[in-house]
Amino acid sequence: MEINTHRFTETAKKELKNEYSRVFLDIFRQHFPVLRKKAMASFPNPDKALEKSAAIRADVVARLPELLNQFEKNAIRNGAKVFRAKDAKAANEFIVNLAKQRGVTYVTKGKSMVTEEIGLNQALEENGIKAFESDLGEFITQLLDRPPFHIVGPAMNIPVEEISDIFQKKAGMKDPTLDPVELGQAARVYLRNKFHHVEMGITGVNMAVAETGTIINVENEGNIRMSKSSPKTQVSVMTLEKVVENMADALHLVRVLCRSCTGQKLSAYVSMDSGPKKENEIDGPEELFIVIVDNGRWNFYDDSQSREALKCIRCGTCLNICPVYTKVGGYPYGWAYSGPMGQVLTPLLLGLDRTKDLYHACTQCGACSEVCPGGIDHPKMLHEFRIRQTRIRPRISFKKNDIIDFFEFALWEKMVVHPSLWKLGVTMSRSATRQKNAVRMLKKTNGPVKNWTQSRTMPQIARKTFHERWNELRDKK
């Protein structure tokens, strides 16, 4: 998958003009939190349920090496084969070589963020192995050659007319239709034949239970279950933080995940696999491979603040409430992970310099941390990234933006520690903004305030400060 995190601002400006996506995002922003709140209300105490899920994830991250070793030991005992991949290259090479050894010409895939992260589809197809995404949203984005728009609904922003066109061109659909049911049926017919003859299925993992060596998947379409039960060889790809200690913790997280993810008490399908098919079982894979991907996570694990990102359970609820994501959508984030979850994880995996637009694109409103089942304090982490970035770059360079930043913050530093300068600055700003056409002039300026004013509505400026008004009222008495 091509990484375009450096194009965040450029892509965001483009997406702000996408009226179709904006309308859909507004509807999603208004209605999904209501569905989530209603689903969470089915817990006897929703707040306690979130506290418990956050405590589970905190304990997992604190004991991650121990729990991973326990999971691997028990998964092998169940008959699975476990491979730990240091990076994307190692993971892709292992899976590609496995497919070649089995004589596989194509694979079916369930929706998986980690396979997006490591670019598995591209690696397979470069080696002559076709990868068919079987989740409906991922299937659509694959045909259109686009990244996922949302972690839960990868293609929710695609107009139905465009889906109909691409299904006729690439999915064998004969007649055009705008009926969602007919479009879904066309995808089903196309993919069903793939499932009938598939030799290898590849899926992600929602949770891996250390105590039992069990892997758990949740879904609503049944395609993951098909990709796990139809082929002889199953490959489950997971990042190392997906492990949990025991089944009780896993089931609680499943309940919270489904409510936070889709507003459901439970998804339509929950699959649990403890090893490959046993002798007395009629379905399931003959061999199960579990690929545990590091891809840079151990590099920041020892940092007590950065490891907070590993608490994420990939529910996507932070995206649905983020004032930035719900305006620009997923494309500007430029990689597999978008919204607040992407803003805290992507910089740790790719580096702060490469992703600075991501962690600067945060209003620090804190909405994401209020709903996060993992207990991640996203604003605190993003603020820390900003601090670290200023430390690792030179105090001042000869780049235009760096020079402007230097003088802006030097002036700001002087003002905030000298009350008289602060009052003078406030007075001058108030006087300037009261002038006729001041707001229009600010929006047209090429100065340091351009990026702030061009996309914001200036508030009505009060004629007098609170203290001025207070003193007047006091003098009248």
Side-chain angles (χ1 to χ4, degrees), residues 458-474:
M458 295 291 287
Q460 183 69 36
I461 304 297
R463 293 188 174 275
K464 296 180 180 179
T465 67
F466 171 81
H467 287 291
E468 289 170 346
R469 183 62 177 151
W470 177 264
N471 289 333
E472 284 183 0
L473 292 172
R474 185 179 59 182

Side-chain angles (χ1 to χ4, degrees), residues 255-291:
R255 297 173 72 197
V256 175
L257 172 66
C258 294
R259 286 164 169 80
S260 298
C261 188
T262 56
Q264 297 171 280
K265 293 181 182 179
L266 196 64
S267 62
Y269 299 89
V270 178
S271 304
M272 301 183 183
D273 296 90
S274 298
K277 178 174 65 174
K278 308 298 187 295
E279 290 185 4
N280 59 340
E281 294 176 339
I282 60 174
D283 59 8
E286 295 177 6
E287 52 183 358
L288 167 62
F289 293 86
I290 301 173
V291 180

